[in-house]
């Protein structure tokens, strides 16, 4: 009997070793890992520069609490704020914690409670972030949610205009709904959100937990659309596998999070901060981001060439290295077949294969992944004849 709560439907793979884009199971089988730890290991597994940064910090100190000034926290905060073209950072331990803090910050800033989010969104599993999430399956069995969240169809400008009012504290969204099925925000819609927030004195919060830290070929996905949010949240790829989250905000919010208004025992842990600095110093280089864009274009073109014409693939959605393949094949069965053939990918929504390869993936590895996808999808096409 396992002593773990059965909160996860575990795969049959148990890792023994991982490096770069490759994961090796305890049985010795090698896999191409296009999950990146669910969008976490953007630089692949165990990159040397991050391992070195972690080791250096391990030899200094592991934890002292946020009662102490820590210059490396300041350094990480500047890198993060500069990358987002914003001003202030609060460090947490996860995406859910970051979103929880963002919700608190918005409500305290405006003195309002109503927050608009969107159907198929995912913002976390604490009570506030679960309440913010526009998916009923996340909330089943937990009773009444936190009040004053309103859920609207994504990319629906008319619905948003009808709901927006002077009681709205914030609009909170993902530029790309990752867990919800790789649904990408439309340029006109996203800019309308920003304008409505300005007109109504509400804050614009963008959840960049999965889309941030180079995943889309920009430091943050909102930068593709020329947006200027009040708050963004980051986690996942920020520490490349070390647990860290962050709220990034504009300088006008400084006095709202005053001493004692919010806190975290482990937020900004020195080991996680060391990993975050090494990650950002790599990912935020323009040459690295340009390379991500080139790889993204190559991978999309290969997918279009090899599998887009299949009757089992209805659409391919992509922004950078976030790719969704909408399929008519039973999703759990398809993911299992892909694992059996050495490719690890993720589900999204109810019928979408989600590809989140490391940003360091090679052309050869992308070719191999597409060939595996093509092989399995063609097998289903033949069996359906």
């Amino acid at each position: 009997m396992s002593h773990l709560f059965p909160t996860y439907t575990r795969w049959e793979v148990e890792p023994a070793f991982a490096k770069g884009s490759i994961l090796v199971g305890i049985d010795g089988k090698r896999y191409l890992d296009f999950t990146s730890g669910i969008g976490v290991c953007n630089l692949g597994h165990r990159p040397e520069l991050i391992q070195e940064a972690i080791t250096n910090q391990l030899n200094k100190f592991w934890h002292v609490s946020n009662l102490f000034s820590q210059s490396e926290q300041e350094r990480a905060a500047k890198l993060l704020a500069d990358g987002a073209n914003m001003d202030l950072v609060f460090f947490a331990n996860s995406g859910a914690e970051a979103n929880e803090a963002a919700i608190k910050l918005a409500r305290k800033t405006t003195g309002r409670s109503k927050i608009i989010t969107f159907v198929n969104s995912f913002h976390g599993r604490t009570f506030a972030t679960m309440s913010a999430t526009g998916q009923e399956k996340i909330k089943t069995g937990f009773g009444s949610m936190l009040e004053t969240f309103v859920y609207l169809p994504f990319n629906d400008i008319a619905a948003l205009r009808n709901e927006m009012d002077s009681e709205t504290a914030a609009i909170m969204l993902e530029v790309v709904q990752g867990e919800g099925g790789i649904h990408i925000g439309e340029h006109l819609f996203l800019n309308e959100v920003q304008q409505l927030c300005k007109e109504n004195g509400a804050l614009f919060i963008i959840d960049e937990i999965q889309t941030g830290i180079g995943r889309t070929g920009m430091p943050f996905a909102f930068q593709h659309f020329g947006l200027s949010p009040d708050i963004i949240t980051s986690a996942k790829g920020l520490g490349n596998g070390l647990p860290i989250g962050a709220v990034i905000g504009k300088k006008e919010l400084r006095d709202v999070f005053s001493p004692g208004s919010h806190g975290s025992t482990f937020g900004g842990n020195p080991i996680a901060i060391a990993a975050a600095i090494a990650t950002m110093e790599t990912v935020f280089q323009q040459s690295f981001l340009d390379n991500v864009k080139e790889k993204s274009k190559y991978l999309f073109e290969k997918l279009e060439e090899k599998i887009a014409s299949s009757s089992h693939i209805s659409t391919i959605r992509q922004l950078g290295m976030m790719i969704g393949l909408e399929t008519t094949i039973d999703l759990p069965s398809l993911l299992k077949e892909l694992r059996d053939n050495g490719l690890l990918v993720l589900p999204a929504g109810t019928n979408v294969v989600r590809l989140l390869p490391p940003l360091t993936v090679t052309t050869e590895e992308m070719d191999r992944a597409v060939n595996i996808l093509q092989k399995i999808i063609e097998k289903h096409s033949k069996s359906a004849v």
Side-chain angles (χ1 to χ4, degrees):
M1 183 191 91
S2 172
H3 293 285
L4 296 168
F5 272 109
T7 51
Y8 305 102
T9 303
R10 308 253 185 198
W11 293 347
E12 67 286 351
V13 180
E14 181 174 344
F17 176 86
K19 183 70 175 174
S21 304
I22 304 298
L23 184 146
V24 182
I26 58 171
D27 58 357
K29 184 170 180 176
R30 291 169 62 87
Y31 300 87
L32 258 179
D33 186 359
F34 271 42
T35 74
S36 298
I38 315 185
V40 168
C41 299
N42 284 3
L43 296 177
H45 293 287
R46 296 177 46 242
E48 291 177 7
L49 75 164
I50 294 179
Q51 193 159 335
E52 181 181 347
I54 294 167
T55 302
N56 287 341
Q57 186 58 50
L58 280 169
N59 290 327
K60 295 176 183 177
F61 59 91
W62 299 0
H63 175 82
V64 291
S65 90
N66 285 306
L67 296 174
F68 293 82
S69 297
Q70 298 176 59
S71 59
E72 292 301 277
Q73 272 193 5
E74 291 285 355
R75 184 179 164 200
K78 186 177 189 311
L79 283 166
L80 198 50
D82 287 350
N85 194 29
M86 297 175 80
D87 305 294
L88 299 166
V89 173
F90 172 86
F91 285 114
N93 303 287
S94 68
E97 282 190 22
N99 282 338
E100 184 91 17
I103 290 165
K104 289 177 65 175
L105 182 57
R107 289 178 63 153
K108 192 167 189 281
T109 298
T110 61
R112 307 171 186 174
S113 298
K114 176 179 167 182
I115 295 179
I116 297 172
T117 65
F118 296 91
V119 176
N120 289 323
S121 61
F122 181 81
H123 298 294
R125 294 182 183 270
T126 64
F127 251 92
T129 58
M130 182 168 59
S131 300
T133 293
Q135 299 185 56
E136 284 305 313
K137 67 181 181 181
I138 302 298
K139 310 170 191 181
T140 301
F142 293 107
S144 300
M145 294 290 106
L146 189 68
E147 296 178 355
T148 66
F149 282 94
V150 177
Y151 316 102
L152 300 179
F154 196 46
N155 285 324
D156 189 330
I157 292 176
L160 181 61
R161 286 175 179 161
N162 287 337
E163 187 60 48
M164 193 70 182
D165 57 27
S166 61
E167 299 303 312
T168 304
I171 300 177
M172 184 176 191
L173 58 77
E174 304 153 276
V175 170
V176 182
Q177 293 182 328
E179 301 293 329
I182 314 296
H183 299 291
I184 302 168
E186 296 170 0
H187 193 281
L188 187 63
F189 172 77
L190 294 171
N191 279 271
E192 181 71 10
V193 170
Q194 181 166 281
Q195 184 60 35
L196 285 171
C197 283
K198 287 180 180 177
E199 291 174 2
N200 290 273
L203 297 187
F204 186 14
I205 305 172
I206 299 184
D207 176 339
E208 291 264 7
I209 304 304
Q210 191 167 144
T211 53
I213 318 299
R215 173 54 55 183
T216 66
M218 299 282 276
F220 296 96
F222 76 85
Q223 293 164 330
H224 289 278
F225 302 90
L227 301 172
S228 180
D230 300 288
I231 299 170
I232 68 170
T233 54
S234 179
K236 286 190 181 290
L238 180 56
N240 208 79
L242 275 289
I244 188 169
V247 179
I248 312 164
K250 291 184 174 177
K251 60 181 180 295
E252 291 80 7
L253 304 174
R254 179 184 296 275
D255 293 339
V256 182
F257 261 8
S258 55
S261 60
H262 194 57
S264 171
T265 297
F266 294 107
N269 170 270
I271 310 303
I273 286 289
I277 289 171
T279 298
M280 288 187 284
E281 286 183 338
T282 300
V283 171
F284 289 170
Q285 291 181 33
Q286 191 58 52
S287 58
F288 183 91
L289 293 168
D290 288 343
N291 191 245
V292 172
K293 290 174 186 173
E294 290 173 11
K295 290 178 181 179
S296 302
K297 183 175 183 290
Y298 179 85
L299 180 54
F300 183 77
E301 288 173 350
K302 283 294 177 182
L303 290 166
E304 283 278 309
E305 175 190 340
K306 299 285 189 178
I307 69 169
S309 61
S310 169
S311 60
H312 289 296
I313 299 297
S314 54
T315 187
I316 301 175
R317 295 188 287 271
Q318 180 205 36
L319 187 62
M321 283 295 193
M322 290 187 75
I323 301 168
L325 314 175
E326 193 166 318
T327 181
T328 58
I329 304 170
D330 176 71
L331 195 54
S333 299
L334 177 57
L335 299 189
K336 172 68 165 59
E337 287 183 84
L338 292 169
R339 291 196 298 273
D340 288 345
N341 282 267
L343 178 63
L344 304 177
V345 296
L346 294 161
T350 57
N351 62 337
V352 175
V353 176
R354 179 173 27 156
L355 308 181
L356 298 174
L359 307 183
T360 52
V361 67
T362 66
T363 300
E364 292 75 19
E365 289 167 340
M366 289 188 282
D367 286 343
R368 195 166 3 132
V370 173
N371 288 339
I372 294 170
L373 281 161
Q374 181 185 24
K375 171 186 168 185
I376 300 303
I377 290 167
E378 284 181 350
K379 182 185 120 181
H380 280 269
S381 296
K382 289 174 184 175
S383 65
V385 174

